[in-house]
Amino acid sequence: MRMTPAAEGLLERVALRLNLVPLPAAYAMFGMTAGRVVGAAQRLGIFARLLDGPASTDQIAEDLHLRPAGVRLLCGALTGADILRAQDGAVALDRRARKWLDPSSSTYIGTWLEHTASYWEWYADLERIVRAGGSFEIHRAPPEDDEYWRVYITGQYEIARLSAAEVARAIRLPPEPSALLDVAGGHGWFAAQLCERHAGLTATVVDLPGSARVGRQIIAAAGLSDRVRHVDGDMFSADLGGPYDGALAFDIIHHLSADQTVALLKRVRAVLRPGAPIAILDMFRRPGAQQTASAASLGLFFHLTSGADLPDPSRLSEHLREAGFGAPRRTKIRRIPDQDLYQAAAVE
């Protein structure tokens, strides 16, 4: 997926084709605006207000105790992004946007959008990180920071819901599995989907205390606390329990160095039964090929937030072999662009 300027009318199409438009300026100005106005509208309650129906910008401002001029301009930017539409002197949520912005929808991602407001602080560190190294380390928030962890993990849960059923169908556990490990599983929703597919399966999710606290709430709301339990702890030092019939390591190795990846895989292998699979879900680098625009942006994002990069599938195979697993099998996850699932069995 690529973000590109869209021409409005013939003259703009000609100007773009003839390179008369300074595209770097367009990306710097309008890319910045698009990202910020969506997160701001979510946090200000504008989308929630418009779920009740179209309203004038003055009415929105009055209802939400905001300044009319700012609301008018913000809604204008959202209309230009096709998230709102003008309607008889009012604005309304676009029908396609409602799918993602209505909390009653199974595809709601509003909390995730709210969390993107944090990205501005992270990207403010980009020049320093490129010059001197290091990272912003997004997991450094103290566990007692309830609001940070609520928004972060709930947002991750909302994104996970989009692909969790597809991922669960793709994972091959042994016959009649009884125990599953999910390292750094946060919300626990992937593990929950596997438990619903396998009648006798229960799952243990090991994650940092702030993350685990929100995960417990999500699982409890789904009525699955008897099937999925959260354990507070660092995946590198906590007692992982076991033995298990399978393990998940989802969206975590992109935060790790090669040595850390091997160390984690060895810890997981030590608590798996022979032949049990580890499933690794992540965004992966394409060796020897140009990365897609979205993958390149994600690689930079991971570097910014943890000093790492998109993982390399060939290196992953080496790490798995070193940790005591067989050759991995790849499954392309169609619901989320650039996301792949690798599964490898624990060897005896």
Side-chain angles (χ1 to χ4, degrees), residues 42-269:
Q42 175 66 28
R43 296 179 72 175
L44 290 168
I46 290 174
F47 296 144
R49 168 60 185 83
L50 290 173
L51 288 171
D52 295 331
S56 69
T57 56
D58 285 345
Q59 186 63 58
I60 295 170
E62 181 179 345
D63 292 346
L64 299 179
H65 308 290
L66 304 173
R67 300 297 295 271
V71 172
R72 174 175 55 81
L73 293 168
L74 183 58
C75 288
L78 291 164
T79 301
D82 294 327
I83 295 173
L84 304 184
R85 55 184 172 81
Q87 180 176 313
D88 299 326
V91 291
L93 274 178
D94 183 78
R95 178 182 58 82
R96 291 172 62 86
R98 181 177 287 267
K99 170 183 179 180
W100 310 106
L101 299 175
D102 186 344
S104 67
S105 169
S106 62
T107 55
Y108 177 71
I109 58 167
T111 317
W112 186 86
L113 293 176
E114 185 179 346
H115 188 244
T116 63
S118 302
Y119 297 0
W120 287 76
E121 182 183 5
W122 305 351
Y123 275 104
D125 236 9
L126 184 59
E127 290 92 337
R128 179 191 65 79
I129 289 168
V130 171
R131 287 192 179 106
S135 65
F136 194 85
E137 295 300 340
I138 62 174
H139 300 104
R140 67 184 177 183
E144 59 271 17
D145 189 342
D146 291 346
E147 183 63 6
Y148 176 83
W149 289 105
R150 179 194 68 80
V151 174
Y152 176 29
I153 299 303
T154 303
Q156 293 300 303
Y157 158 67
E158 290 170 357
I159 294 297
R161 289 191 305 179
L162 304 179
S163 63
E166 179 185 357
V167 171
R169 289 193 298 270
I171 292 175
R172 298 291 179 259
L173 295 176
E176 300 182 358
S178 62
L180 177 75
L181 173 65
D182 188 355
V183 293
H187 44 73
W189 197 246
F190 288 108
Q193 290 292 294
L194 279 164
C195 287
E196 292 200 323
R197 286 184 60 83
H198 300 275
L201 184 63
T202 61
T204 298
V205 182
V206 178
D207 210 339
L208 299 173
S211 177
R213 180 177 61 250
V214 181
R216 288 189 193 96
Q217 296 167 359
I218 290 170
I219 294 300
L224 293 170
S225 297
D226 60 329
R227 307 287 303 279
V228 180
R229 73 181 186 107
H230 281 76
V231 174
D232 292 0
D234 187 299
M235 60 188 174
F236 289 108
S237 58
D239 181 359
L240 299 181
Y244 296 101
D245 300 302
L248 311 180
F250 285 5
D251 295 319
I252 188 62
I253 64 170
H254 62 244
H255 289 300
L256 306 180
S257 67
D259 289 344
Q260 288 174 320
T261 299
V262 173
L264 176 63
L265 293 176
K266 286 182 176 179
R267 294 203 81 218
V268 172
R269 171 63 189 89

